[in-house]
Amino acid sequence: MSTPGIRLEVRSYMATSIGVFGRRHAPRNVGDSSGLRVAMVAPPWSEVPPKGYGGIEAMLSDLVGGLIELGHEVTLIGAGRTTTKAPFLRTYRRAPSERIGETMPEVLHTAIAARLLSQLDADIVHDHTLAGPLTALGRPAPTVVTCHGPVDGELGEYYRTLGDRISLVSISLAQRTYAPDLNWVGQVYNAVDTRTFPYRERKEDWVLWIGRFAGDKGAHLAIDAARAAGRRIVLAGKLVEPAEFAYFNEHVRPRLGPDARYEGEANIVRKRQLMAAARCLVFPITWQEPFGLVMIEAMACGTPVVALGLGSVPEVVVDGVTGFVRRFPHELPAAIEAVDGLRPADSRSHVERDFDVMAMSTGYERVYREVVARAGLPVR
């Protein structure tokens, strides 16, 4: 998309965005039960909800819906189109998914979002982008940032430098252990709308791996484990970026065969079909992943998860009840065989209880009210 086209888009929304929340509201008390005006900033890379791969965007879609159901006014800022019920302010006419890894789409998205936010009468800004928090100091509304990635290394130093200009929310307890000194204000697990995931009691005789093709996601380990267990495996993953093609061609393609099939990137309908039918989801990550949304998506379908116990895995999977958590890859084949002894209903109820949309939405509601109260600002 050309820069002139983006400018036209911004002028169009700048002219109308004041009316999204409105102006000159009667003052409200921070602690009352009135709904908050929340400005939700999505990353630019996919639509909300995503058509295919996009864990953050899927989580955002559910969160927007949950907050609206709780009585809050939400305006979503993002790229492309949306099917959420929130008023939508668009930065890119089409999400620049093919440019993931480049700098300019993120920077331009942030610049446009900052201009749009300056026209909104928001009580709080909830930012899910990388560059967006840099603009937090320039507006009166406090900014909450959900940390969707690991917070060690440079990313942790970035948040550390921003200090109390932003309020951080972790998506697992494991994530916070790598930078406990950051300005954490809460911990809220990602969630799914279990009503949109088909529950299936009887499973088929194959296993599933789903994600993006990166070495630390362990697709090659999933194939090896399934083959050692004598089970067929279906792989449905994102294959777009050069690094993903390099990994796929070196480690995945040579392993494919009659018992290991790659069927492309699954859209939201196909993903649910696969998850509901599979014997189990194999999740052999080799890094400290802060949260793996596919785990709760699979369990919402009554499908257990066989995983390596890194990052948030021990917090999400109940070992011996909703799946099996193992330390080493060579232990995975036996775990794949053992899932016959698990009850699909236990996986479903686990997600309904601890990882449903309303649990996530009320968690963020508490965070918002605490941050607004801490800032000492009236909810106008």
Side-chain angles (χ1 to χ4, degrees):
M1 178 176 171
S2 66
T3 300
I6 294 173
R7 286 175 179 161
L8 288 173
E9 191 84 9
V10 174
R11 282 200 295 269
S12 171
Y13 278 115
M14 291 285 282
T16 59
S17 62
I18 289 178
V20 174
F21 289 132
R23 294 288 190 184
R24 301 183 182 90
H25 292 276
R28 295 178 292 168
N29 295 321
V30 170
D32 70 15
S33 59
S34 300
L36 296 170
R37 291 180 291 275
V38 182
M40 192 78 66
V41 185
W45 309 115
S46 299
E47 294 181 351
V48 178
K51 295 178 180 178
Y53 184 85
I56 297 174
E57 291 78 13
M59 167 263 182
L60 267 175
S61 178
D62 287 336
L63 177 58
V64 168
L67 291 172
I68 291 173
E69 191 171 340
L70 288 172
H72 303 290
E73 299 176 50
V74 183
T75 292
L76 175 63
I77 297 176
R81 296 177 295 177
T82 185
T83 57
T84 70
K85 296 179 180 179
F88 182 57
L89 303 182
R90 185 167 55 194
T91 57
Y92 278 82
R93 291 186 184 275
R94 183 179 63 82
S97 305
E98 73 283 355
R99 298 180 65 188
I100 291 178
E102 295 184 29
T103 301
M104 278 311 300
E106 171 89 19
V107 172
L108 184 55
H109 175 78
T110 296
I112 298 171
R115 292 183 62 188
L116 294 170
L117 287 168
S118 72
Q119 298 297 305
L120 294 180
D121 191 20
D123 297 316
I124 196 156
V125 175
H126 190 172
D127 203 314
H128 300 263
T129 69
L130 176 62
L134 291 169
T135 68
L137 189 60
R139 54 179 171 260
T143 298
V144 167
V145 176
T146 296
C147 299
H148 291 284
V151 292
D152 54 354
E154 288 185 322
L155 185 59
E157 192 57 36
Y158 169 59
Y159 290 139
R160 193 170 290 112
T161 302
L162 292 174
D164 61 4
R165 286 180 284 175
I166 58 173
S167 299
L168 301 177
V169 176
S170 62
I171 54 177
S172 67
L173 297 174
Q175 182 186 38
R176 298 173 67 157
T177 62
Y178 294 93
D181 61 308
L182 297 181
N183 189 35
W184 299 110
V185 295
Q187 187 271 313
V188 182
Y189 288 123
N190 289 340
V192 295
D193 184 349
T194 53
R195 297 169 298 184
T196 71
F197 284 84
Y199 173 73
R200 181 167 165 177
E201 187 81 21
R202 299 187 64 179
K203 305 298 181 180
E204 298 178 11
D205 194 25
W206 49 270
V207 304
L208 175 67
W209 177 92
I210 191 165
R212 59 181 174 84
F213 284 101
D216 54 19
K217 293 286 190 177
H220 64 294
L221 296 177
I223 296 173
D224 292 347
R227 189 163 280 152
R231 303 289 176 177
R232 292 182 297 116
I233 184 169
V234 173
L235 301 102
K238 172 177 166 286
L239 188 58
V240 175
E241 301 174 56
E244 293 167 349
F245 277 104
Y247 165 73
F248 183 89
N249 289 331
E250 182 176 356
H251 297 285
V252 177
R253 191 182 299 279
R255 287 175 162 85
L256 298 180
D259 61 346
R261 176 172 61 87
Y262 172 53
E263 74 156 51
E265 183 178 347
N267 61 25
I268 58 174
V269 174
R270 182 58 176 157
K271 178 173 69 173
R272 284 161 169 76
Q273 292 172 343
L274 291 170
M275 286 180 166
R279 175 187 179 87
C280 66
L281 175 78
V282 186
F283 193 70
I285 56 170
T286 59
W287 72 298
Q288 302 294 338
E289 185 161 2
F291 198 92
L293 195 68
V294 293
M295 292 189 289
I296 58 174
E297 290 176 330
M299 290 187 293
C301 297
T303 300
V305 177
V306 172
L308 294 178
L310 297 174
S312 66
V313 169
E315 297 176 53
V316 177
V317 179
V318 182
D319 185 43
V321 179
T322 69
F324 294 104
V325 180
R326 296 293 181 259
R327 292 184 61 189
F328 303 108
H330 71 261
E331 298 176 297
L332 297 177
I336 290 173
E337 285 301 286
V339 298
D340 280 344
L342 304 180
R343 297 175 62 248
D346 291 337
S347 291
R348 175 76 170 198
S349 62
H350 174 55
V351 177
E352 289 175 331
R353 182 179 62 251
D354 296 329
F355 299 102
D356 191 63
V357 169
M358 293 315 295
M360 175 177 66
S361 301
T362 55
Y364 277 111
E365 180 184 53
R366 287 191 296 270
V367 168
Y368 297 160
R369 294 197 183 280
E370 179 181 337
V371 170
V372 171
R374 185 183 299 179
L377 298 173
V379 182
R380 296 183 295 276

